[in-house]
Structures are given as structure tokens and as C-alpha cells.
Amino acid sequence: MNEPVIEESNGIVEQLDQEMAIIKSFLEHLEYTLGKDKYSATKYDGFNALAYAVRDHLVERWLDTQQAYYNSDDKRVYYISMEFLMGRALGNSLINLGMYEDFKEAITSLGYDFEAILAEEQDAGLGNGGLGRLAACFLDSMATMSIPAYGYGIRYEYGIFRQHIVDGAQLEIPDNWLRYRNPWELDRQEHLHTVKFYGRVITTINSQGQLVREWVDTEDVMAMAYDTPIPGYQTHSVNTLRLWSAKSSREFDLKFFNEGNYIRAVEKKMQSETISKVLYPADNVIEGKELRFKQEYFLASATVHDVLYRFKKKHNDLKLLPDKVAIQLNDTHPALAIPELIRVLIDLNSLSFDEAWEITRKVFGYTNHTILPEALEQWPVWFFEQILPRHLQIIYDINDRFIKDIQARFPDDPERVARMSIVEEHWERKIRMAHLAIVGSHSVNGVAALHSEILKNELFRDFYEMYPERFNNKTNGITQRRWLKMSNPQLSGLIDEYIGDAWTRDLFELEKLRAVAGDPEFKERWKQVKRANKEALCTYILKHSGLVVDPDSMFDVQVKRIHEYKRQLLNVLHIITLFNRIKDNPQARVVPRTFIFAGKAAPSYSIAKLIIRLITAVAEVVNRDPDVAGRIKVVFLANYGVSLAEKIFPASDLSEQISTAGTEASGTGNMKFALNGALTIGTLDGANIEIMEEVGRDNIFIFGLTAAEVAELKNRGYNPKEYYNSNLELRRVLDMISSGFFSPGAPDLFHPITDSLLNLGDHYMLLADYASYVKCQEQVSELFLNQDEWTRRAILNSAGMGKFSSDRTIEEYAREIWGIKPLDIRPGAVELQRH
Ligand SMILES: *Cc1c(COP(=O)(O)O)cnc(C)c1O
């Protein structure tokens, strides 16, 4: 009986040693890395010292992992994305390392508030919304599954702007996130690639009598690598996110400085470094700017050179490239990598066009993220003529062959050729990047089942008829490590108590919650956790918007980018409807709700900014009205981003996923809500459909037209005025908005909104779905009165989220697109590999 006691005390000694080591490392970094002592250290110094202490733990594993990948020479995957919306790294790294509790105890014993230190970290906001956050979740899953993977992106000096709300309107503040140090990145001065722009192409004949193209008189910019470690969860693996920063080239310096005008030379130098200055802040819409075009090529070119450099360390036969390299394009933004790889293979490595073309197609996979026409990239041919003349030749060569293939398959169908051509021949000729990406890849995927069907049957129908084998679906997912374990520690702890913690690596384990969904004690605990999370959000709301909100009211939440297709406006119409019902009948029994909105609008998207203005204007009226007090409140939280999202999802009761059916490719916010036990009110759009399949039709609130019905109604001729004329409640709401009820000082303020609905065709069909939405919301209210049943369904939502782990998504990409076998990561399936 003595042995366990000895073991236990050994454990305690070990833990004390560990704690001492953490304290020592923390204090050493404070003193020697940052040059501070306990008197001069700021809270931010505390964060930095802690981050360095954690980074030390990552580096050894990182080097081991990279060495193991080099030695094994297995196929690697390169995930190229213009956006990585990472958020904070410290808490996540500690959780993935399994050191969260040890660090917390050690730092707390020094008298610090551990959580306050974590909150000092700035979000790495190198993305706009879902697309960038998906890339971040994928990095976590790939590292966790020990997949030899690299993220490649741009090290923007300014990330997504910070949003302030001033007088009810969005104000954009630059996000100069690198002003203070970034403790996670390591600059790799030696990993430099030259990226060429402008110039001209000359054709010569080499000694073997072959035509050789040379791209000359270019203006060159250097791409310098900065690496960030990406730790997997409960594994030794640490992968790499490599971000490129633009630096002026030495040649550049010499040429311009020798011209004798020093200041002008410095100006030119600065100009060349603007390429990586700023993230374009538009989500699901393109701006078509020359600087953005250069950014895309900068990322594509530097990455292709880096990939080939790494390949050539072990191999010299480029025909083996597809056996060793898979490149996944996160939308068309990095699709210039396709002509860039062909250029490098032909012009710099003397392969024939046919050889280069075959290799390229086997290497690339393309993920489509949207069918919205305003988001499909098309670059003017004259951009190419000026900036990438050699790539234009290559694209024309690709297109010539492609058009011959179309004509061979579909003779006498010139319209099909015009529809499919990579070159759009309108008055301004343009390169259709999606067509280039499809033709240049072996795989094209959508991001939810419905979306992938729409790609095959509508947007890319011609391509599907020609290359059916290329099309596939990869329903998006999210990492449960960040979106449950880290951001909702109380719910995680409760789940662990009842079903263990295997869900952190295999989210299907949550199915075991179904067995306790009816257990009164479990339900009670679940409710207490939700209530505590809501109280924490109340505190945040009070602090940041001065509003007192009731934690017992239903938290009805819509947080996501502000976009017409996401229909924040429909939500507002419902709020005004409830307001009117209360005003008409102040005694009416109304289920108390707090409507919570958050989201950024693209700075140039005026109607989206006006929607924010309307939400805040409605909030002003509603929150001040004594008849409404205690029933409904409206809150707009500024600066939606990863860190704010982490506070909101755990505190939500109702998840608003109300896009026009057929417009939201997948959504991932919907998954984060349901995972944290919110019920969804949604249309049959994107991944909502698959969420319904997993949680059961009885445990989700579905309303509105289906995608097929939307298309049919559009075809028949949709007339929003019919709905306006026949629905009194709706008409009253719209009249209030347009008559200035919510903007007495500026009665015309919201005319563009009511105009778009009534006179410009209501493109996203809010009026068609209004009645069904309001009715469905009545059912939501009814259920909320029965807290026991509500909680049971909330548990069943969490229990059904297994499919929506990004681990599942990545496993499918790896197996079906990349030809890479991940380790079987389920507990007990294998001994975790220790490299
Ligand atoms: C998940 C997430 C998104 C995507 O939300 P959707 O509702 O799917 O549009 C956008 N921004 C942030 C910060 C997120 O965490």
C-alpha cells in the first residue's frame, strides 16, 4: 500500500519542478529578452515573457518535426491562402502542448492574473471572415494529425481594421499589429525569393534550336519568410505557417541610388515594400485593384519557388513533383501559382509545355468558396500585359489547348466555348481566374454539400460536363480545440466529467451526450454553465457598450461579416415587428430577448455600413422605450474578430443563420454556435442543411424558401411589392424605416435600404421569407419558455457536431485530394508518433 503514496509524492515533486522551471523561464525572458524587471514590466511585457517561455517548448518539437518530414520524404501539402485569421496563439498553444494548467499555476503563484495576461495578446487578424478562419482551423487540424503541411500566406503589416462604433456608425482604425513585437514569428533572412514584375518577354533560340522565352527588364521585389509554429494537440508535431514580407532588392537599391536622387530612391524602395503592407478588407467581394493583383502574384510566386527549392533538396527529376507535392488553393486568390509553376518549369527548368502542364494539373487542387458573381475574380488582360506579360502568354497557351479540347468534345457549340474560355472577351478583356483554376487543377471542391451541387449544376456546369471526375465536396469544419475546449472551459469540463475528453481528438465522441441529454442533473449543470457564460458576456456588454442586459433573457445572436446576402436586415425586420407588437399591446406576454449583433462591413460597401447604422438606430429606440423595457434589447458589439467570437458563442442561446438559400457556401459560425449548445434558426442553406441532418429536424428551426424555390421564384418573376402590399405588419415595419422613425434627425437616412427592398428588386428575397421567419421565431419563443426541453435540444445539438470537426474535413482532403495518409488519430488506434 506504500507504493502509490511514493508515486504520488514523486508526482508532486515533478510538478513542483515543472512549476519552478516555468517561473525561471518566464523571469529570464522578462529580464534578458525584454530587459525588464518586476518594477518596470508592463502587462504586455508579461504577455511577451510568457509567450517566449511557451515558444521555447514549441521550438524543440518544431525542429524535430521538420527534420522528420525531411527524413521521411513523404508527400507534403501546401495550403496557400491570402488570409489566415488566427486570433490569439498563447492560450491555444498551451492547450495543445497540454501545459495550460501548469503555466496557469506557476504564473498565478507569482501574483499575476493569468487570464489578464492572455488577454494582452493582440489578435493576428490576417483575414476577413470565414475563409481566413477556415485556413486557421485547417492548420490546427493538420498539425494535430501530423500531416506534413505548410500554410503559406502574406505577412500583412496591417491586418483587418479595428472597428469602432461612433454615433452609431462604423469607423475603421488601422490594425498596426506588428507595432509591438510579435513573439511567435521567426524571421528567416536566408529564405528569400525574387519576385518579378513588369518588364517584357524576349524570344530567343537556344543551341538545340528550341524557342526560349526570357522575361527581362523586370522590377524585382524580394519575398522574405517569417515562420510561425503551429502546434498540434497532444502530439509532438509542430507545423509551419510561412508568411512572406516584401523587401526591396539589393539590385533595386543600387540601380535607383546610383541615379543620384537619394530621396526618390528611398521612395521607390518604400513603394516596392508596400506589397505586403495591408490586407484588403472586403469579404466575398473583389475590389479589382492593381495592388491586390500584385499581392496575389507575390504570394503565388514566392511560394512556388519555395516549394521547388524544398523539393530539389532531395530530388532532381521534376516529373516526380506530383508524388511529393500537393498544393491547395484557398479560392482563386492564389491561382496565379498555376501559370507561375508552368513558367518556372518551362523557362527555368527547360521542360516542354506538355510536361509542365501535366505536372501542374496533378499538383493543384482548387477550393471554391462562393457563387456570388461580385466575388468571382476576373483580372483585366491589360494588368497582365503590363505586370505579368509572360504569364499572359502561358494563360493564352493553356486556353488555346483547352478550347481545342472543348471543340473536340462538343463540336459546333461556339457559345459553350465562349462561356468556358479562360478569357472573357467583352469590351474590357479579362482573365476568369476560376476557369483558370479549374482547368489547371485535378480537383475542384465546394465547401458544403449544397454548394458543391450548385457548382456542378449551375455555376460550373459546363466544366462539370467536361471533367466530372474533378468535382467533389469537402464540407467545412472547425477545430474543437479552440472553439470548445479553449473558449468554453466550463462546458468542456462538464462534458469531460460525463463522457471523458476523447472528443478533443475525435469529435464524434460527443454522440455519447445523447445518452445524458434527458438526465435532469446533467441538464441542470448544462444550464448553469450556459448561465455563467451569459453572465460573463453581460459583463463584457456593460463594459463595452454601457448596456445592462438580462442574463435570463434569450440571447439571440447574429455575428458574422455584414453582407446583404447574410440578411442581418431580415433579423432587424423581426425586431421591429416585435417592437410594434409590444407597443400595440404593452401587456402582451413576450419572451424576453437580447438581440446581439457583431460584424464588420467592408469600408467601401455603403449599404452594409448603412445596415450597421440601422441596427444601432433601432437599438437606440428599442432600448430607451419604457414599454419595451424588460422584454427586448438590441446590442451591437464593436470589432467582431476571433477573440470576441470566443466570448460570444459560449453565451448564445439562438444562432441566426438566415442567408438566402443558395448564397452562403457553407458557413462555419453556424457550427461554432451549435457546438456550444445554441439552437439554430436558419434557412436550408450551406452547411445548415447538414447540421439539420446531424442534429435531427426536430432540434433546429428551419424556415423560408429552399434554394430550388428561390431559383424558381426568380424565374417566375419575383415581385417584392406583392409581399409589401399583402402583409400589414411587414408594410408597417418598412414604412417606419423609410419615414425616418428610427432616424428623426435624418428622415431619408435609410431610404437606400427600403429602396433596395421595394424598388430595386430585393435581390436577397427578404420579403419573400419574412412571414415564414416571423412565424418560426414564434416557435422559438414558445420553446424557450420550456427551459428543460430547450436545454435537452441544446445538448442534442452539441452531441450532433461530430461531423463538423475540421479534423474530419482535413482527413477527407488528405485522402481524396492530396493522396496523403494522416496518422489515424483516434485514441488507442496507434501509438502517437514521437519523431
Ligand atoms: C467563424 C468566423 C467567421 C465565419 O462566420 P460565418 O457565420 O460562417 O460567416 C467569421 N469571422 C470570425 C471571427 C469567425 O470566428
Side-chain angles (χ1 to χ4, degrees), residues 115-352:
E115 257 90 40
I117 291 188
L118 297 192
E120 282 293 303
E121 183 172 7
Q122 308 200 60
D123 274 32
L126 307 184
N128 275 287
L131 173 144
R133 185 53 231 175
L134 183 77
C137 283
F138 281 3
L139 292 180
D140 184 81
S141 286
M142 292 190 293
T144 296
M145 298 162 91
S146 299
I147 290 178
Y150 300 76
Y152 273 91
I154 293 179
R155 180 179 176 270
Y156 302 109
E157 218 169 289
Y158 293 84
I160 187 66
F161 63 85
R162 282 184 298 135
Q163 179 195 55
H164 287 204
I165 300 297
V166 178
D167 297 332
Q170 168 173 299
L171 181 72
E172 300 96 16
I173 308 290
D175 167 45
N176 193 358
W177 73 297
L178 293 171
R179 186 179 45 208
Y180 305 108
R181 69 178 73 217
N182 171 4
W184 303 113
E185 68 182 8
L186 284 119
D187 55 320
R188 304 296 197 189
Q189 312 270 349
E190 72 283 14
H191 288 277
L192 272 180
H193 298 285
T194 306
V195 180
K196 296 169 180 286
F197 296 94
Y198 302 103
R200 63 203 169 86
V201 181
I202 55 174
T203 307
T204 53
I205 294 178
N206 69 8
S207 52
Q208 283 99 55
Q210 295 156 325
L211 288 184
V212 178
R213 315 281 177 178
E214 245 187 298
W215 184 13
V216 298
D217 298 338
T218 51
E219 285 182 28
D220 299 349
V221 178
M222 307 306 293
M224 189 178 124
Y226 286 76
D227 288 348
T228 300
I230 306 292
Y233 177 71
Q234 286 183 353
T235 165
H236 200 69
S237 299
V238 176
N239 282 347
T240 304
L241 169 61
R242 175 161 285 186
L243 301 178
W244 299 111
S245 181
K247 312 276 170 184
S248 66
S249 69
R250 287 247 304 138
E251 290 71 29
F252 190 101
D253 292 0
L254 290 174
K255 176 164 167 253
F256 286 96
F257 281 86
N258 286 343
E259 282 167 9
N261 187 337
Y262 173 74
I263 293 297
R264 197 164 142 57
V266 174
E267 271 172 21
K268 274 274 189 184
K269 188 176 156 73
M270 276 162 50
Q271 259 173 36
S272 75
E273 295 180 352
T274 58
I275 287 184
S276 54
K277 268 277 185 280
V278 60
L279 166 77
Y280 274 84
D283 183 71
N284 268 308
V285 54
I286 51 167
E287 301 226 28
K289 294 288 195 302
E290 188 174 314
L291 179 60
R292 166 75 179 199
F293 182 68
K294 288 187 181 174
Q295 288 183 336
E296 293 188 0
Y297 179 62
F298 177 74
L299 169 60
S301 177
T303 305
V304 163
H305 286 272
D306 214 44
V307 167
L308 287 177
Y309 168 82
R310 193 171 290 119
F311 173 81
K312 285 184 172 182
K313 283 203 267 187
K314 281 248 173 162
H315 306 276
N316 40 37
D317 182 0
L318 283 162
K319 295 201 183 75
L320 293 179
L321 198 68
D323 298 335
K324 296 295 167 191
V325 170
I327 301 180
Q328 192 66 32
L329 302 171
N330 198 22
D331 213 306
T332 58
H333 315 151
L336 289 168
I338 291 172
E340 176 68 353
L341 178 59
I342 295 175
R343 180 183 78 84
V344 173
L345 293 178
I346 297 176
D347 297 357
L348 307 183
N349 291 278
S350 309
L351 268 64
S352 71

Side-chain angles (χ1 to χ4, degrees), residues 432-647:
R432 296 158 161 164
M433 298 304 286
H435 295 201
L436 176 64
I438 298 170
V439 175
S441 301
H442 69 280
S443 165
V444 179
N445 74 281
V447 289
L450 172 69
H451 172 60
S452 294
E453 287 305 306
I454 292 173
L455 293 185
K456 290 193 294 187
N457 303 325
E458 288 162 50
L459 188 65
F460 299 145
R461 185 189 190 113
D462 293 322
F463 291 89
Y464 178 60
E465 283 168 8
M466 188 132 164
Y467 308 120
E469 71 289 347
R470 289 188 196 183
F471 284 78
N472 64 91
N473 173 248
K474 296 288 168 282
T475 298
N476 283 167
I478 57 172
T479 169
Q480 66 266 37
R481 271 80 62 182
R482 180 175 293 265
W483 295 113
L484 182 54
K485 186 172 170 68
M486 186 181 88
S487 59
N488 198 346
Q490 293 202 48
L491 196 64
S492 303
L494 175 62
I495 292 171
D496 291 354
E497 253 184 66
Y498 276 76
I499 65 166
D501 72 351
W503 59 270
T504 56
R505 300 188 120 262
D506 178 2
L507 200 59
F508 284 108
E509 284 282 317
L510 290 184
E511 279 171 15
K512 293 180 178 160
L513 291 176
R514 292 205 175 107
V516 288
D519 177 330
E521 190 185 308
F522 184 68
K523 273 195 294 197
E524 194 45 44
R525 300 273 308 276
W526 186 281
K527 260 191 266 184
Q528 283 166 6
V529 169
K530 182 61 83 180
R531 164 80 198 204
N533 290 336
K534 287 169 76 174
E535 276 172 15
L537 188 60
C538 286
T539 306
Y540 182 91
I541 291 171
L542 179 62
K543 184 168 166 209
H544 289 87
S545 60
L547 274 179
V548 176
V549 303
D550 174 8
D552 288 323
S553 65
M554 181 200 309
F555 281 16
D556 176 339
V557 185
Q558 188 170 23
V559 293
K560 48 180 75 242
R561 286 297 290 243
I562 311 292
H563 208 300
E564 285 166 287
Y565 84 85
K566 292 177 184 278
R567 301 202 295 192
Q568 280 91 358
L569 253 180
L570 182 58
N571 190 339
V572 173
L573 299 184
H574 172 242
I575 296 171
I576 301 173
T577 305
L578 289 186
F579 173 79
N580 288 339
R581 288 182 182 179
I582 294 169
K583 293 302 283 184
D584 289 352
N585 181 3
Q587 291 350 303
R589 211 181 53 146
V590 172
V591 176
R593 291 200 197 208
T594 303
F595 294 92
I596 299 171
F597 292 88
K600 292 171 182 172
S604 62
Y605 189 173
S606 54
I607 199 108
K609 293 173 111 174
L610 196 57
I611 290 169
I612 293 179
R613 196 68 202 73
L614 178 63
I615 294 169
T616 58
V618 169
E620 279 273 305
V621 170
V622 168
N623 297 347
R624 256 194 335 213
D625 193 299
D627 291 339
V628 172
R631 277 85 167 282
I632 59 176
K633 273 212 172 141
V634 181
V635 183
F636 189 98
L637 287 173
N639 202 35
Y640 186 56
V642 173
S643 288
L644 180 52
E646 287 164 5
K647 295 183 175 61

